[in-house]
Amino acid sequence: MATFGNLSDRLSETFKNLRKKGSLSASDVDGTVREIRRALLEADVSLDVVKDFTGKVRERALGDEVNKALNPAQQVVQIVNEELVAILGGEQRRLEFAKTPPTVIMLAGLQGAGKTTLAGKLAKWLAKDGHTPLLVAADLQRPNAVTQLSVVAEQAGVAVYAPEPGNGVGDPVRVAKDSIAYARQKQYDTVIVDTAGRLGVDAELMKQASNIRKAVDPDEVLFVIDAMIGQDAVATAKAFQEGVDFTGVVLSKLDGDAKGGAALSVASVTGRPIIFASTGEGLDDFEPFHPDRMASRILDLGDILTLIEQAQQAFDEDEAREMAEKFSTDSFTLNDFLKQMQQLRNMGSIKKMMGMLPGMGQMKQQLDAFDEREIVRTEAIIQSMTLAERENSKLLNGSRRLRIARGSGSTVTEVNALVNRFEQAAKMMKTVAKGGVPQIPGMGPIPGGGGGSSRKPQPKKKGSKSGNPAKRATENAALASGVKPAAASTGGGFGLGGAQSSATPTEEELASLQKFLGR
């Protein structure tokens, strides 16, 4: 995750140095804790949070659980992981829905934190889960805020309640209150109220937000905070907690290049859990916040569970079963290859998904250099083929590949590379489907893999093994005619200096010899 990139790099380097040591002394622990403190402070984590965090890590690292561990370095990493989970809120906290619909969710926060866009993301996420959300335009101060919410609602495929035009016109408290009755009448089970924000914390903002809260009595009040806000996150969160109070936190803009200390400070300082995280600009870049998974990402330990969940949402189970059968029966085509890539793209950013794999922080440069548009170019090449060519790649001769290259805006070399990749992938998938271990291009066969080449040993060629061309030709001719050649002499090199053979050459042997010599 981009926001925690620098922090992850610093912590990974610290633990890398720690793993080189078989046992840890008090000075080793102090040095490690010092580096962790610097890394957290540089990431804009609140000073009070840093002091409390490093104090607990040092106390546990010097305790018996590390001294008696078989691998002290790994034990320290585990301690840091557990303490990170603790300051991020401990356990995941889910939304609490009302026993009698509608459930009212109020959004609060500073202007520019991304409340309006986040309202659309939350509504779309709820709709996927079977709910019927209603967005309420109660931000009537910011220019075009009502219009923006209407556009976001249309993109998310949800309803919007916007009786007032906004731009300073209308009473936001009345709009919020009337929306509850409207939701009951139209049978919406969730109401998301988008409130106004300001450029800074002020009394007017707090009063208006407090009045809206009293009017609608929300089941959840979510404080939306920009993850790039830095040290101001703590002061802003405390001010909102005192003025309005909130039940949970939503982190926005976690895909930014800022230091991201807000995420590590807000939950600890306010005592309120982080419920959701916004990880991009798209309406699908939104996920429930899991403290343990976030801690694993920060420490470059990966987030396999989130990756699996995203894959389950993007891939259809029946299609996956059908694809597995095609792999095993050698009927996998370029059309299937295209479907697989389109499903992969539906999962979201390839870089983000690869970043969820353990240890990928060490390949940061390769990830940054990866071009997401490569999949789009590959799709264009396959879509420039006819249906027959997609079903049977062996039809792709030179002229067809030239036509495909021109049609897709690529080169023949790129078309050739795609076809080669497809054929290699099909072979590897077939081997895997049959229970074998594929031979990866550029690497030798895996010992004991049972996969790879399945060629039978070739029978030895029958014929003379003599190093003398004339003698070899004579013996081969004899074998061809069904006559067993005489036993080889035990003479010196090239057949000289030994006892003479008792057999005399036949006419056929002499003819073969003359043919060999070109006479």
Side-chain angles (χ1 to χ4, degrees), residues 272-513:
R272 298 291 187 267
I274 302 172
I275 302 180
F276 294 105
S278 174
T279 57
E281 295 180 0
L283 290 181
D284 291 316
D285 297 328
F286 180 77
E287 60 189 42
F289 187 84
H290 299 265
D292 53 341
R293 300 184 191 181
M294 184 59 68
S296 293
R297 290 194 209 182
I298 293 172
L299 296 178
D300 196 24
L301 301 176
D303 186 1
I304 299 298
L305 289 176
T306 301
L307 189 59
I308 291 171
E309 288 173 1
Q310 290 183 0
Q312 287 175 337
Q313 291 175 3
F315 286 82
D316 183 78
E317 203 171 321
D318 294 332
E319 284 187 8
R321 195 179 297 109
E322 182 184 344
M323 207 62 67
E325 291 177 2
K326 289 190 174 185
F327 287 144
S328 59
T329 57
D330 203 16
S331 58
F332 185 66
T333 66
L334 279 163
N335 245 340
D336 302 322
F337 192 52
L338 178 63
K339 288 179 183 176
Q340 290 285 295
M341 282 192 302
Q342 288 172 338
Q343 286 182 331
L344 187 64
R345 196 174 62 167
N346 290 339
M347 286 178 64
S349 169
I350 306 294
K351 288 184 182 179
K352 287 181 183 177
M353 288 188 291
M354 293 179 70
M356 293 179 191
L357 297 174
M360 289 304 290
Q362 301 171 16
M363 301 179 65
K364 190 175 179 182
Q365 291 183 347
Q366 291 90 325
L367 280 177
D368 291 341
F370 178 75
D371 188 1
E372 301 266 2
R373 293 171 296 178
E374 185 63 32
I375 292 182
V376 179
R377 287 191 283 266
T378 301
E379 286 182 12
I381 292 174
I382 297 177
Q383 287 169 344
S384 296
M385 299 178 185
T386 64
L387 290 176
E389 289 167 346
R390 295 184 205 176
E391 293 296 323
N392 184 8
S393 60
K394 298 189 184 302
L395 294 175
L396 296 172
N397 56 22
S399 60
R400 287 175 184 260
R401 297 188 186 206
L402 179 61
R403 188 204 78 237
I404 293 165
R406 288 174 176 171
S408 60
S410 57
T411 63
V412 176
T413 304
E414 290 173 332
V415 175
N416 293 339
L418 168 62
V419 174
N420 290 336
R421 287 201 306 272
F422 161 72
E423 290 175 348
Q424 288 177 357
K427 286 179 182 177
M428 290 174 66
M429 292 300 182
K430 183 181 178 183
T431 304
V432 171
K434 290 185 176 180
V437 178
Q439 182 175 334
I440 301 171
M443 296 177 62
I446 300 172
S453 177
S454 58
R455 296 178 187 171
K456 296 180 180 178
Q458 297 292 329
K460 293 183 179 179
K461 292 182 179 179
K462 296 180 179 180
S464 173
K465 297 181 181 179
S466 174
N468 188 329
K471 186 176 180 181
R472 187 168 63 245
T474 303
E475 291 179 352
N476 286 337
L479 286 170
S481 61
V483 179
K484 187 178 180 180
S489 65
T490 58
F494 302 102
L496 301 174
Q500 296 296 322
S501 172
S502 60
T504 56
T506 64
E507 291 181 2
E508 290 179 356
E509 291 172 351
L510 290 173
S512 298
L513 177 61

Side-chain angles (χ1 to χ4, degrees), residues 256-282:
D257 294 327
K259 299 175 182 179
L264 301 179
S265 304
V266 173
S268 181
V269 170
T270 63
R272 298 291 187 267
I274 302 172
I275 302 180
F276 294 105
S278 174
T279 57
E281 295 180 0

Side-chain angles (χ1 to χ4, degrees), residues 47-331:
L47 180 60
D48 293 336
V49 175
V50 173
K51 284 182 178 179
D52 184 57
F53 176 80
T54 52
K56 289 179 179 178
V57 169
R58 185 180 186 280
E59 181 182 351
R60 291 183 61 185
L62 291 174
D64 289 340
E65 61 180 311
V66 172
N67 294 332
K68 294 179 180 179
L70 293 175
N71 193 323
Q74 286 186 0
Q75 194 66 29
V76 171
V77 174
Q78 180 64 25
I79 289 171
V80 173
N81 184 53
E82 291 173 1
E83 293 300 330
L84 266 179
V85 173
I87 68 171
L88 286 169
E91 297 181 355
Q92 183 201 12
R93 156 83 147 80
R94 298 176 179 272
L95 279 179
E96 292 184 359
F97 293 93
K99 293 181 179 178
T100 304
T103 298
V104 182
I105 301 172
M106 174 181 166
L107 303 181
L110 295 179
Q111 185 173 316
K115 291 191 305 301
T116 302
T117 305
L118 194 131
K121 292 182 178 184
L122 177 58
K124 188 172 183 180
W125 182 82
L126 288 168
K128 283 182 180 178
D129 205 28
H131 295 280
T132 51
L134 172 69
L135 291 180
V136 178
D139 181 359
L140 304 180
Q141 277 71 38
R142 183 168 60 88
N144 295 320
V146 175
T147 304
Q148 182 189 355
L149 187 68
S150 300
V151 171
V152 169
E154 184 179 356
Q155 292 174 344
V158 298
V160 62
Y161 179 74
E164 298 289 351
N167 297 326
V169 178
D171 181 3
V173 178
R174 178 175 293 278
V175 168
K177 188 174 182 179
D178 291 346
S179 69
I180 309 302
Y182 179 82
R184 287 197 183 100
Q185 179 187 352
K186 299 295 183 180
Q187 296 185 339
Y188 293 105
D189 70 353
T190 313
V191 176
I192 302 172
V193 182
D194 179 30
T195 63
R198 293 290 187 277
L199 296 177
V201 177
D202 57 31
E204 185 183 351
L205 164 66
M206 293 303 176
K207 185 179 179 181
Q208 184 185 104
S210 180
N211 290 338
I212 292 176
R213 174 165 189 166
K214 291 175 184 175
V216 300
D217 189 22
D219 300 281
E220 294 276 12
V221 179
L222 301 182
F223 173 52
V224 183
I225 188 166
D226 187 342
M228 301 191 292
I229 198 172
Q231 290 285 356
D232 288 340
V234 175
T236 305
K238 283 183 176 179
F240 268 90
Q241 191 174 19
E242 293 170 2
V244 182
D245 199 8
F246 48 87
T247 58
V249 178
V250 180
L251 291 173
S252 65
K253 306 181 185 178
L254 269 181
D255 58 321
D257 294 327
K259 299 175 182 179
L264 301 179
S265 304
V266 173
S268 181
V269 170
T270 63
R272 298 291 187 267
I274 302 172
I275 302 180
F276 294 105
S278 174
T279 57
E281 295 180 0
L283 290 181
D284 291 316
D285 297 328
F286 180 77
E287 60 189 42
F289 187 84
H290 299 265
D292 53 341
R293 300 184 191 181
M294 184 59 68
S296 293
R297 290 194 209 182
I298 293 172
L299 296 178
D300 196 24
L301 301 176
D303 186 1
I304 299 298
L305 289 176
T306 301
L307 189 59
I308 291 171
E309 288 173 1
Q310 290 183 0
Q312 287 175 337
Q313 291 175 3
F315 286 82
D316 183 78
E317 203 171 321
D318 294 332
E319 284 187 8
R321 195 179 297 109
E322 182 184 344
M323 207 62 67
E325 291 177 2
K326 289 190 174 185
F327 287 144
S328 59
T329 57
D330 203 16
S331 58

